Amino acid sequence: MSEGMRVALDAMGGDNAPGETVLGAIRAAREYGIGVYLVGREEAIRAELAKHDTNGLDLPIVHTDEVIEMDEHPADAVRRKRQASMTLALQLVRDGKALGAVSAGNSGAMMAAALFTLRRIPGIERPALGGIFPTSGLPSLVLDIGANTDCKPEYLQQFALMGSIYMERIFKIASPRVALLSNGEEETKGNKQVVEAHQLLKTSAETLGIRFIGNVEGRDIPVGKADVVVCDGFVGNVVLKLSEGLAESLLGLIREQMTSTLLRKLAAAILRPGLRSVFSKLDYAEYGGVPLLGVNGSAIVSHGRSNAKAIKNALRVARQTAETDVTGAISAGMQKLQSTITPKAAVPEK
Amino acid sequence: MSEGMRVALDAMGGDNAPGETVLGAIRAAREYGIGVYLVGREEAIRAELAKHDTNGLDLPIVHTDEVIEMDEHPADAVRRKRQASMTLALQLVRDGKALGAVSAGNSGAMMAAALFTLRRIPGIERPALGGIFPTSGLPSLVLDIGANTDCKPEYLQQFALMGSIYMERIFKIASPRVALLSNGEEETKGNKQVVEAHQLLKTSAETLGIRFIGNVEGRDIPVGKADVVVCDGFVGNVVLKLSEGLAESLLGLIREQMTSTLLRKLAAAILRPGLRSVFSKLDYAEYGGVPLLGVNGSAIVSHGRSNAKAIKNALRVARQTAETDVTGAISAGMQKLQSTITPKAAVPEK
């Protein structure tokens, strides 16, 4: 079974670790033939492994006692706990021993550790988290969803490049449609940062090799008008959490109506399979986690509540991100951009 | 019937004018006893009135030939068309002849005309549009939803005051919960502008007489965690449009599932009344339009697609805004705030 390289999993990360993390790794190993480094407390991991049939699976343990807890201050914890399970997982990537790293632990710490261990891709000023947004068709990538609350227009330009490469390689979308999130479609619409980013993207799209389709509005996200929706981390965070909250509320209201009388309950039973297919679109576990783009290597940040299915899918995505060389493509795009940038003083003012 | 003052309606504003606007005025007059100035082309209005029984209703026409079209540049159009129907409606308010003004026409122009005609309340730097957001309980007010894309922290502070007064007086919420929209609940979370606004609100809430509950996240909006959600117009616009789009998409997906087989269609028929009650929560026409807060007078901006029901409700809200003296209360709050503000240089730096 164990051919190719492994993916490194922070076996201690997340609310359901190590039970669900280890089970997720077992499933990834069995279903996708992925070898997984299980990084964390050996005894605890071994106890979980013993509960399942792991015959023939490539699941080596990398022991460490240190674990970063969910409520620790991200940067402090990363600095203090040099042997933390998530950091060791990332070091395996840095040292060329693992294809990618996955953690469902403290997400701020995972980002800090990734930045610290893997470093930024040259030219990328701020790595970004790409959130997977379900639409009626293929999902869209919204980035940044929270790593950077205050963004310069250049950051948004870099997010556009990273998002485009990710969607092309992971979701196999040829020439993804990249858009800026704004309060109107016209290029004059937006806050200062977005209006400037629009001009940057308009002039650099060809160099970057991306298909910039202009601005989209909030209503365009759920219908999938763009494959990549670029915004700062403050707006992206609001977008993601509002969507989750709204979907939950609406489905809750509907569920309430469906169970208010016996007759309605019967009717609801008939509709259940259909509705389940709607609900499953909203299941974050389908996508496993969100990529941290812009660091030198494949790093997937999974939801703190991740179950085995989410971990399994995150491990798959981590491998895919490495195998399709997302990092290399981002690096190449940034090199092209930088080779064409004229020093600011030489650009004529409008 | 015609006691008290009238509300001024831009009878020519909106995609369905003057048919639906006139009908909305007739219904408001009959159901709520509201007198309405119908401002616009007399002949067209008269033709619409003739289609209905208007016996005993107080619906005087104020004639003007000029109308601002939906696709005109707001500020330009307002400057050029001095006799535009929406401007005349606002002048009736300014001159003390009408309680409030309603327009479903070009919303940018309505805002510009209101600012120009009614002027700002002293101390209010930027008037804001307050969007009504349906929740499982009473609706929340999100402001600003698009009048101001780039906001200083002080603007957000003023939005908080205006929103609190509006929800208290129009939705009869005693001591509305006012929150800042952010990417986390902690007061250190947010972009620069939000972090600063948090401190401003924390220190001034008592003076302003508002109940500041801190930050809320995107997921808290649909569950109604705050009665007033304060954000800049860029974020507010994204929030509102995303919510509309997402609700439409989700309900569309559900509808699709409900009609995919004959049996499911039957089941759906049983559930229809219940689902209709969910849908009606999302019907913007229930609230009639959104208030432009911070100008000297009651001005309601209705949706371009407004039907008679929306216009009827907008006229009701316009009257209520005037009768509860929202403007006076905002003015009083600002005076209090200004009387306590220490000149910036005198405030010790942290």
Side-chain angles (χ1 to χ4, degrees), chain A residues 149-150 181-183 190-192 194 217-219 222-223 234-235 237-239 241-247 249-251 253-254 257-258 263-264 267 270-271 273-275 277-278 282, chain B residues 149-150 181-183 190-192 194 217-219 222-223 234-235 237-239 241-247 249-251 253-254 257-258 263-264 267 270-271 273-275 277-278 282:
Chain A
T149 48
D150 294 281
L181 181 58
S182 190
N183 61 327
N191 53 25
K192 275 182 208 150
V194 167
E217 300 183 74
R219 74 173 80 249
V223 296
F234 182 85
V235 172
N237 185 281
V238 168
V239 162
K241 288 182 181 163
L242 172 63
S243 303
E244 284 174 7
L246 195 62
S249 291
L250 264 181
L251 298 176
L253 281 173
I254 289 169
Q257 289 299 332
M258 285 188 162
L263 188 62
R264 285 187 184 179
I270 293 167
L271 292 168
L275 293 179
S277 78
V278 174
L282 305 171
Chain B
T149 46
D150 294 281
L181 181 58
S182 190
N183 60 327
N191 53 27
K192 275 183 207 150
V194 167
E217 299 184 76
R219 75 173 79 248
V223 296
F234 183 85
V235 171
N237 184 281
V238 168
V239 162
K241 288 183 181 164
L242 172 63
S243 303
E244 287 175 5
L246 196 62
S249 290
L250 264 180
L251 298 175
L253 281 173
I254 289 168
Q257 291 298 332
M258 285 188 162
L263 187 63
R264 286 188 183 176
I270 293 168
L271 292 169
L275 294 180
S277 78
V278 174
L282 306 170

Coordinates of all heavy atoms in Angstrom, one line a residue, chain A residues 149-150 181-183 190-192 194 217-219 222-223 234-235 237-239 241-247 249-251 253-254 257-258 263-264 267 270-271 273-275 277-278 282, chain B residues 149-150 181-183 190-192 194 217-219 222-223 234-235 237-239 241-247 249-251 253-254 257-258 263-264 267 270-271 273-275 277-278 282:
Chain A
T149 N -7.3 40.9 8.3 CA -8.5 41.8 8.4 C -8.3 43.1 7.6 O -9.2 43.6 7.0 CB -8.8 42.1 9.8 OG1 -7.7 42.5 10.5 CG2 -9.5 40.9 10.5
D150 N -7.1 43.6 7.6 CA -6.8 44.9 6.9 C -5.9 44.6 5.7 O -4.8 44.1 5.9 CB -6.2 45.9 7.8 CG -7.1 46.4 8.9 OD1 -8.0 47.2 8.6 OD2 -7.0 45.9 10.0
L181 N -15.1 41.0 -4.7 CA -16.4 41.2 -4.1 C -16.6 42.7 -3.8 O -15.7 43.3 -3.3 CB -16.5 40.4 -2.8 CG -17.8 40.6 -2.0 CD1 -19.0 40.1 -2.8 CD2 -17.7 39.7 -0.7
S182 N -17.7 43.3 -4.3 CA -17.9 44.7 -4.1 C -19.4 45.0 -3.9 O -20.2 44.1 -3.8 CB -17.3 45.5 -5.3 OG -17.3 46.9 -5.0
N183 N -19.7 46.3 -3.8 CA -21.0 46.7 -3.6 C -21.7 47.2 -4.8 O -22.7 47.9 -4.8 CB -21.1 47.8 -2.5 CG -20.4 49.0 -2.9 OD1 -19.4 48.9 -3.5 ND2 -20.8 50.2 -2.5
G190 N -17.1 50.2 -4.8 CA -16.3 49.6 -3.8 C -15.7 50.6 -2.8 O -15.9 51.8 -3.0
N191 N -15.0 50.0 -1.8 CA -14.3 50.9 -0.9 C -12.9 51.2 -1.6 O -12.7 50.6 -2.7 CB -14.1 50.4 0.5 CG -13.6 49.0 0.5 OD1 -12.9 48.6 -0.5 ND2 -13.8 48.2 1.5
K192 N -12.1 52.1 -1.1 CA -10.9 52.5 -1.7 C -10.0 51.3 -2.1 O -9.5 51.3 -3.2 CB -10.1 53.4 -0.8 CG -10.6 54.8 -0.8 CD -9.7 55.7 0.1 CE -10.6 56.9 0.5 NZ -10.2 57.4 1.9
V194 N -10.8 48.2 -2.7 CA -11.4 47.4 -3.7 C -11.3 48.1 -5.1 O -11.0 47.5 -6.1 CB -12.8 47.0 -3.4 CG1 -13.5 46.4 -4.6 CG2 -12.9 46.0 -2.3
E217 N -21.3 41.1 -6.7 CA -22.0 41.5 -5.5 C -22.3 40.3 -4.6 O -22.2 39.2 -5.0 CB -23.3 42.2 -5.8 CG -23.1 43.4 -6.7 CD -24.4 44.1 -7.0 OE1 -25.0 44.8 -6.1 OE2 -25.0 44.0 -8.1
G218 N -22.7 40.6 -3.4 CA -23.0 39.5 -2.4 C -24.0 38.5 -3.0 O -23.8 37.3 -2.8
R219 N -25.0 39.0 -3.7 CA -26.0 38.0 -4.3 C -25.4 37.1 -5.3 O -26.0 36.0 -5.6 CB -27.2 38.8 -4.9 CG -26.9 39.4 -6.2 CD -28.1 40.0 -6.9 NE -28.4 41.3 -6.3 CZ -29.5 41.6 -5.5 NH1 -30.3 40.7 -5.2 NH2 -29.7 42.8 -5.1
P222 N -23.8 33.0 -3.9 CA -24.4 31.7 -3.9 C -24.8 31.1 -5.2 O -25.0 29.9 -5.3 CB -25.7 31.9 -3.0 CG -25.7 33.3 -2.6 CD -24.5 34.0 -3.2
V223 N -25.0 31.9 -6.2 CA -25.3 31.4 -7.5 C -24.1 31.0 -8.3 O -24.2 30.5 -9.4 CB -26.2 32.4 -8.4 CG1 -27.6 32.6 -7.7 CG2 -25.5 33.7 -8.6
F234 N -11.7 40.4 6.7 CA -12.8 40.9 7.5 C -14.1 40.6 6.8 O -15.0 39.9 7.4 CB -12.6 42.4 7.8 CG -13.7 42.9 8.7 CD1 -13.6 42.9 10.1 CD2 -14.9 43.5 8.1 CE1 -14.6 43.4 10.9 CE2 -15.9 44.0 9.0 CZ -15.7 43.9 10.3
V235 N -14.2 41.0 5.6 CA -15.4 40.8 4.8 C -15.6 39.3 4.5 O -16.7 38.8 4.7 CB -15.3 41.5 3.4 CG1 -16.4 41.2 2.5 CG2 -15.3 43.1 3.7
N237 N -14.7 36.8 6.3 CA -15.2 36.1 7.6 C -16.7 36.4 7.8 O -17.4 35.5 8.1 CB -14.4 36.7 8.7 CG -14.7 36.0 10.0 OD1 -15.7 36.3 10.7 ND2 -13.8 35.0 10.4
V238 N -17.1 37.6 7.6 CA -18.5 37.9 7.7 C -19.3 37.1 6.7 O -20.4 36.6 7.0 CB -18.8 39.5 7.5 CG1 -20.2 39.8 7.3 CG2 -18.2 40.2 8.7
V239 N -18.9 37.1 5.4 CA -19.6 36.3 4.4 C -19.7 34.9 4.8 O -20.8 34.3 4.7 CB -18.8 36.4 3.0 CG1 -19.2 35.4 2.1 CG2 -19.0 37.8 2.4
K241 N -19.5 33.3 7.8 CA -20.2 33.0 9.0 C -21.7 33.4 8.8 O -22.6 32.7 9.3 CB -19.6 33.8 10.2 CG -18.3 33.2 10.6 CD -17.8 33.9 11.8 CE -16.4 33.2 12.2 NZ -15.7 34.2 13.1
L242 N -22.0 34.5 8.1 CA -23.3 34.9 7.8 C -24.0 33.8 7.0 O -25.2 33.4 7.2 CB -23.4 36.2 7.0 CG -24.7 36.6 6.4 CD1 -25.7 36.9 7.5 CD2 -24.6 37.9 5.6
S243 N -23.3 33.2 6.0 CA -23.9 32.2 5.2 C -24.2 30.9 6.0 O -25.3 30.4 5.8 CB -22.9 31.8 4.0 OG -22.6 32.9 3.3
E244 N -23.3 30.5 6.8 CA -23.5 29.4 7.7 C -24.8 29.6 8.6 O -25.7 28.8 8.7 CB -22.3 29.1 8.6 CG -21.2 28.5 7.8 CD -19.9 28.3 8.7 OE1 -20.0 28.7 9.9 OE2 -18.9 28.0 8.2
G245 N -24.8 30.8 9.2 CA -25.9 31.2 10.1 C -27.2 31.2 9.4 O -28.2 30.8 9.9
L246 N -27.2 31.8 8.2 CA -28.4 32.0 7.5 C -29.0 30.7 7.0 O -30.2 30.4 7.1 CB -28.2 33.0 6.3 CG -29.4 33.5 5.7 CD1 -30.2 34.4 6.7 CD2 -29.0 34.4 4.5
A247 N -28.1 29.8 6.5 CA -28.6 28.5 6.0 C -29.2 27.7 7.2 O -30.2 27.1 7.1 CB -27.4 27.8 5.4
S249 N -30.5 28.9 10.0 CA -31.7 29.5 10.4 C -32.9 29.2 9.5 O -33.9 28.8 9.9 CB -31.6 31.1 10.5 OG -30.7 31.5 11.5
L250 N -32.6 29.3 8.2 CA -33.7 29.0 7.2 C -34.1 27.6 7.3 O -35.3 27.3 7.3 CB -33.1 29.3 5.8 CG -33.5 30.7 5.3 CD1 -32.9 30.8 3.9 CD2 -35.0 30.9 5.2
L251 N -33.1 26.7 7.3 CA -33.5 25.3 7.4 C -34.1 24.9 8.7 O -35.1 24.1 8.7 CB -32.2 24.4 7.1 CG -31.6 24.7 5.7 CD1 -30.3 23.9 5.6 CD2 -32.5 24.3 4.6
L253 N -36.2 27.0 10.4 CA -37.5 27.5 10.2 C -38.4 26.5 9.4 O -39.5 26.2 9.7 CB -37.5 28.9 9.5 CG -37.2 30.1 10.3 CD1 -37.1 31.3 9.4 CD2 -38.2 30.3 11.4
I254 N -37.7 26.0 8.3 CA -38.5 25.1 7.5 C -38.7 23.8 8.2 O -39.9 23.3 8.2 CB -37.6 24.8 6.2 CG1 -37.7 26.1 5.3 CG2 -38.2 23.6 5.4 CD1 -36.7 26.1 4.2
Q257 N -41.7 24.1 10.5 CA -42.9 24.1 9.8 C -43.3 22.7 9.4 O -44.5 22.3 9.4 CB -42.9 25.0 8.6 CG -42.8 26.4 8.9 CD -44.1 26.9 9.6 OE1 -45.1 26.3 9.5 NE2 -43.9 28.0 10.4
M258 N -42.3 21.9 9.2 CA -42.5 20.5 8.7 C -42.9 19.6 9.7 O -43.3 18.4 9.4 CB -41.2 20.0 8.0 CG -41.1 20.7 6.6 SD -39.7 19.9 5.8 CE -40.0 20.4 4.1
L263 N -49.8 15.5 9.9 CA -49.9 15.4 8.4 C -48.6 16.0 7.8 O -48.1 15.4 6.8 CB -51.1 16.2 7.9 CG -51.5 16.0 6.4 CD1 -51.8 14.6 6.1 CD2 -52.6 16.9 6.1
R264 N -48.2 17.1 8.3 CA -47.0 17.7 7.8 C -45.8 16.8 8.0 O -44.9 16.8 7.2 CB -46.7 19.1 8.5 CG -47.7 20.1 7.9 CD -47.3 21.5 8.5 NE -48.3 22.5 8.1 CZ -48.2 23.8 8.4 NH1 -47.2 24.2 9.2 NH2 -49.0 24.7 8.0
A267 N -45.8 14.3 5.3 CA -45.3 14.9 4.0 C -43.8 15.2 4.1 O -43.1 14.9 3.1 CB -46.1 16.3 3.8
I270 N -41.7 12.2 3.2 CA -41.6 11.9 1.7 C -40.5 12.8 1.1 O -39.8 12.4 0.2 CB -43.0 12.2 1.0 CG1 -44.0 11.2 1.5 CG2 -42.9 12.2 -0.5 CD1 -45.5 11.5 1.2
L271 N -40.4 14.0 1.6 CA -39.5 14.9 1.0 C -38.1 14.8 1.5 O -37.1 15.4 1.0 CB -40.0 16.4 1.3 CG -41.2 16.8 0.5 CD1 -41.8 18.1 1.1 CD2 -41.0 16.9 -1.0
P273 N -35.5 12.6 1.5 CA -34.3 12.3 0.7 C -33.9 13.5 -0.1 O -32.7 13.8 -0.3 CB -34.7 11.2 -0.2 CG -36.0 10.7 0.5 CD -36.6 11.7 1.3
G274 N -34.9 14.2 -0.7 CA -34.6 15.4 -1.5 C -33.9 16.5 -0.7 O -33.0 17.1 -1.1
L275 N -34.5 16.7 0.5 CA -34.0 17.8 1.3 C -32.6 17.4 1.8 O -31.7 18.3 1.9 CB -34.9 18.1 2.5 CG -36.2 18.7 2.0 CD1 -37.1 18.9 3.3 CD2 -36.0 20.0 1.3
S277 N -30.3 16.0 0.2 CA -29.3 16.3 -0.9 C -29.0 17.8 -0.8 O -27.9 18.3 -1.2 CB -29.8 15.9 -2.2 OG -30.8 16.8 -2.7
V278 N -30.0 18.6 -0.4 CA -29.8 20.1 -0.2 C -28.8 20.3 1.0 O -27.8 21.0 0.9 CB -31.1 20.9 0.0 CG1 -30.8 22.3 0.3 CG2 -32.0 20.8 -1.3
L282 N -24.3 21.7 2.0 CA -23.8 22.7 3.0 C -22.9 22.0 4.1 O -22.6 22.6 5.1 CB -25.1 23.3 3.7 CG -26.1 23.9 2.8 CD1 -27.3 24.3 3.6 CD2 -25.5 25.1 2.1
Chain B
T149 N -19.3 53.8 1.7 CA -18.4 52.6 1.6 C -17.2 52.7 2.5 O -16.8 51.7 3.0 CB -18.0 52.4 0.1 OG1 -17.5 53.6 -0.4 CG2 -19.1 51.8 -0.7
D150 N -16.7 53.9 2.6 CA -15.5 54.0 3.5 C -15.9 54.8 4.7 O -16.4 56.0 4.6 CB -14.4 54.8 2.8 CG -13.8 53.9 1.6 OD1 -13.1 53.0 1.9 OD2 -14.2 54.2 0.5
L181 N -20.6 44.8 13.9 CA -20.3 43.6 13.1 C -18.8 43.4 13.0 O -18.2 44.3 12.6 CB -21.0 43.6 11.7 CG -20.8 42.4 10.8 CD1 -21.4 41.2 11.5 CD2 -21.5 42.7 9.5
S182 N -18.3 42.2 13.4 CA -16.9 42.0 13.3 C -16.6 40.6 13.0 O -17.5 39.8 12.7 CB -16.2 42.4 14.6 OG -14.8 42.4 14.5
N183 N -15.3 40.2 13.0 CA -14.9 38.9 12.7 C -14.6 38.1 13.9 O -13.9 37.1 13.9 CB -13.7 38.8 11.7 CG -12.5 39.5 12.3 OD1 -12.6 40.5 13.0 ND2 -11.3 39.1 11.9
G190 N -11.4 42.6 14.6 CA -12.0 43.5 13.7 C -10.9 44.2 12.8 O -9.7 44.0 13.1
N191 N -11.3 44.9 11.8 CA -10.3 45.7 11.1 C -10.1 47.0 12.0 O -10.8 47.2 13.0 CB -10.8 46.0 9.7 CG -12.1 46.6 9.6 OD1 -12.6 47.3 10.5 ND2 -12.8 46.5 8.5
K192 N -9.2 47.8 11.5 CA -8.8 49.0 12.4 C -10.0 49.8 12.8 O -10.1 50.3 13.9 CB -7.8 49.9 11.6 CG -6.4 49.4 11.7 CD -5.4 50.3 11.0 CE -4.2 49.5 10.6 NZ -3.6 50.0 9.4
V194 N -13.1 49.1 12.9 CA -14.1 48.5 13.8 C -13.5 48.4 15.3 O -14.2 48.6 16.2 CB -14.5 47.0 13.3 CG1 -15.2 46.2 14.4 CG2 -15.4 47.2 12.1
E217 N -20.8 38.4 15.2 CA -20.3 37.9 14.0 C -21.4 37.7 13.0 O -22.6 37.8 13.3 CB -19.6 36.5 14.3 CG -18.5 36.6 15.3 CD -17.8 35.2 15.5 OE1 -17.1 34.8 14.6 OE2 -18.1 34.6 16.5
G218 N -21.0 37.4 11.8 CA -22.0 37.2 10.7 C -23.1 36.2 11.1 O -24.2 36.4 10.8
R219 N -22.7 35.1 11.7 CA -23.6 34.1 12.1 C -24.7 34.6 13.1 O -25.8 34.0 13.2 CB -23.0 32.8 12.6 CG -22.5 33.0 14.1 CD -22.0 31.6 14.6 NE -20.6 31.4 14.1 CZ -20.3 30.4 13.3 NH1 -21.2 29.6 12.8 NH2 -19.0 30.2 12.9
P222 N -28.6 36.5 11.5 CA -29.9 35.8 11.2 C -30.7 35.3 12.5 O -31.9 35.2 12.5 CB -29.6 34.7 10.3 CG -28.2 34.7 10.1 CD -27.5 35.8 10.8
V223 N -29.9 35.0 13.5 CA -30.6 34.6 14.8 C -31.0 35.8 15.6 O -31.6 35.6 16.7 CB -29.7 33.6 15.6 CG1 -29.5 32.3 14.8 CG2 -28.4 34.2 16.0
F234 N -20.0 49.3 2.8 CA -19.5 48.3 1.9 C -19.9 46.9 2.5 O -20.5 46.1 1.8 CB -18.0 48.4 1.8 CG -17.4 47.4 0.9 CD1 -17.3 47.7 -0.4 CD2 -16.9 46.2 1.4 CE1 -16.7 46.7 -1.3 CE2 -16.3 45.3 0.5 CZ -16.2 45.5 -0.8
V235 N -19.6 46.7 3.8 CA -19.9 45.4 4.4 C -21.4 45.2 4.5 O -21.9 44.1 4.2 CB -19.3 45.4 5.8 CG1 -19.7 44.1 6.6 CG2 -17.7 45.4 5.7
N237 N -23.7 46.3 2.5 CA -24.3 46.0 1.2 C -24.0 44.5 0.9 O -24.9 43.8 0.4 CB -23.6 46.9 0.2 CG -24.2 46.7 -1.2 OD1 -23.8 45.8 -1.9 ND2 -25.1 47.6 -1.6
V238 N -22.8 44.1 1.2 CA -22.5 42.6 0.9 C -23.4 41.8 1.8 O -24.0 40.8 1.3 CB -21.0 42.4 1.3 CG1 -20.7 40.9 1.3 CG2 -20.1 43.0 0.2
V239 N -23.6 42.1 3.1 CA -24.4 41.3 4.0 C -25.9 41.2 3.4 O -26.4 40.1 3.4 CB -24.4 42.0 5.4 CG1 -25.6 41.5 6.2 CG2 -23.1 41.7 6.1
K241 N -27.1 41.8 0.3 CA -27.3 41.2 -0.9 C -26.9 39.7 -0.9 O -27.6 38.9 -1.5 CB -26.4 41.9 -2.0 CG -27.0 43.2 -2.4 CD -26.2 43.9 -3.5 CE -26.7 45.3 -3.8 NZ -25.8 46.1 -4.5
L242 N -26.0 39.4 -0.1 CA -25.6 37.9 0.1 C -26.8 37.2 0.7 O -27.2 36.1 0.3 CB -24.4 37.8 1.0 CG -24.0 36.4 1.5 CD1 -23.7 35.5 0.3 CD2 -22.9 36.4 2.5
S243 N -27.4 37.8 1.7 CA -28.6 37.2 2.4 C -29.7 37.0 1.4 O -30.3 35.9 1.4 CB -29.1 38.1 3.6 OG -28.0 38.3 4.4
E244 N -30.0 38.0 0.6 CA -31.1 37.9 -0.4 C -30.8 36.7 -1.3 O -31.6 35.9 -1.6 CB -31.3 39.2 -1.1 CG -31.9 40.3 -0.4 CD -32.0 41.6 -1.1 OE1 -31.6 41.6 -2.3 OE2 -32.4 42.6 -0.6
G245 N -29.5 36.7 -1.8 CA -29.1 35.7 -2.8 C -29.1 34.3 -2.2 O -29.6 33.4 -2.9
L246 N -28.7 34.2 -1.0 CA -28.6 32.9 -0.4 C -30.0 32.3 -0.1 O -30.2 31.2 -0.3 CB -27.8 33.0 0.9 CG -27.2 31.7 1.5 CD1 -26.3 31.0 0.5 CD2 -26.5 32.0 2.8
A247 N -30.8 33.2 0.4 CA -32.2 32.7 0.7 C -32.9 32.3 -0.6 O -33.5 31.2 -0.6 CB -33.0 33.9 1.4
S249 N -31.5 31.2 -3.3 CA -30.8 30.0 -3.8 C -31.3 28.8 -3.0 O -31.6 27.7 -3.6 CB -29.3 30.1 -3.7 OG -28.8 31.0 -4.6
L250 N -31.3 28.9 -1.7 CA -31.7 27.8 -0.9 C -33.1 27.4 -1.1 O -33.4 26.2 -1.3 CB -31.5 28.1 0.6 CG -30.2 27.7 1.3 CD1 -30.2 28.2 2.7 CD2 -30.0 26.2 1.2
L251 N -34.0 28.4 -1.1 CA -35.4 28.1 -1.3 C -35.6 27.5 -2.7 O -36.5 26.7 -2.9 CB -36.2 29.3 -1.0 CG -36.1 29.8 0.4 CD1 -36.9 31.1 0.6 CD2 -36.6 28.8 1.4
L253 N -33.4 25.6 -4.4 CA -33.0 24.2 -4.3 C -34.1 23.4 -3.7 O -34.3 22.3 -4.1 CB -31.7 24.1 -3.5 CG -30.4 24.5 -4.1 CD1 -29.3 24.5 -3.1 CD2 -30.1 23.5 -5.3
I254 N -34.7 23.9 -2.6 CA -35.7 23.1 -1.9 C -36.9 23.0 -2.8 O -37.5 21.9 -2.9 CB -36.0 23.8 -0.6 CG1 -34.9 23.7 0.4 CG2 -37.3 23.3 0.0 CD1 -34.9 24.6 1.6
Q257 N -36.4 20.3 -5.3 CA -36.6 18.9 -4.7 C -38.0 18.6 -4.5 O -38.4 17.4 -4.6 CB -35.8 18.8 -3.4 CG -34.3 18.9 -3.5 CD -33.8 17.7 -4.3 OE1 -34.4 16.6 -4.3 NE2 -32.7 17.9 -5.0
M258 N -38.8 19.6 -4.2 CA -40.2 19.4 -3.8 C -41.1 19.1 -5.0 O -42.3 18.7 -4.9 CB -40.8 20.6 -3.1 CG -40.2 20.6 -1.7 SD -41.1 21.9 -0.8 CE -40.7 21.5 0.9
L263 N -45.3 12.4 -6.2 CA -45.5 12.1 -4.8 C -45.0 13.3 -4.0 O -45.6 13.8 -3.0 CB -44.8 10.8 -4.3 CG -45.1 10.4 -2.9 CD1 -46.6 10.1 -2.7 CD2 -44.3 9.2 -2.5
R264 N -43.8 13.8 -4.4 CA -43.2 14.9 -3.7 C -44.1 16.2 -3.8 O -44.2 17.0 -3.0 CB -41.8 15.2 -4.1 CG -40.8 14.1 -3.6 CD -39.4 14.6 -4.0 NE -38.4 13.5 -3.5 CZ -37.1 13.6 -3.8 NH1 -36.6 14.6 -4.5 NH2 -36.3 12.7 -3.4
A267 N -46.8 16.0 -1.4 CA -46.3 16.3 0.0 C -46.1 17.8 0.1 O -46.4 18.4 1.1 CB -45.0 15.5 0.2
I270 N -49.1 19.9 0.9 CA -49.5 19.8 2.3 C -48.6 20.8 3.1 O -49.1 21.5 4.1 CB -49.3 18.4 2.9 CG1 -50.3 17.4 2.3 CG2 -49.4 18.4 4.4 CD1 -50.0 16.0 2.5
L271 N -47.4 21.0 2.7 CA -46.5 21.8 3.5 C -46.6 23.3 3.1 O -46.0 24.2 3.8 CB -45.0 21.3 3.3 CG -44.7 20.0 4.0 CD1 -43.4 19.5 3.5 CD2 -44.8 20.1 5.5
P273 N -48.6 25.9 3.2 CA -49.0 27.0 4.1 C -47.9 27.3 5.1 O -47.6 28.5 5.3 CB -50.2 26.5 4.8 CG -50.7 25.4 4.0 CD -49.6 24.8 3.3
G274 N -47.3 26.3 5.6 CA -46.2 26.4 6.5 C -45.0 27.1 5.9 O -44.4 28.1 6.5
L275 N -44.6 26.7 4.7 CA -43.5 27.2 4.0 C -43.8 28.7 3.6 O -42.9 29.5 3.7 CB -43.1 26.4 2.8 CG -42.6 25.0 3.1 CD1 -42.3 24.2 1.9 CD2 -41.4 25.1 4.0
S277 N -45.3 30.8 5.3 CA -45.0 31.7 6.4 C -43.5 31.9 6.6 O -43.1 33.0 7.1 CB -45.6 31.1 7.7 OG -44.8 30.1 8.2
V278 N -42.7 31.0 6.1 CA -41.3 31.2 6.1 C -40.9 32.2 5.1 O -40.2 33.2 5.3 CB -40.5 29.9 5.9 CG1 -39.0 30.2 5.8 CG2 -40.7 28.9 7.0
L282 N -39.3 36.8 4.5 CA -38.2 37.3 3.6 C -38.8 38.3 2.6 O -38.1 38.7 1.7 CB -37.6 36.1 2.9 CG -37.1 35.0 3.8 CD1 -36.7 33.8 3.0 CD2 -35.9 35.5 4.6

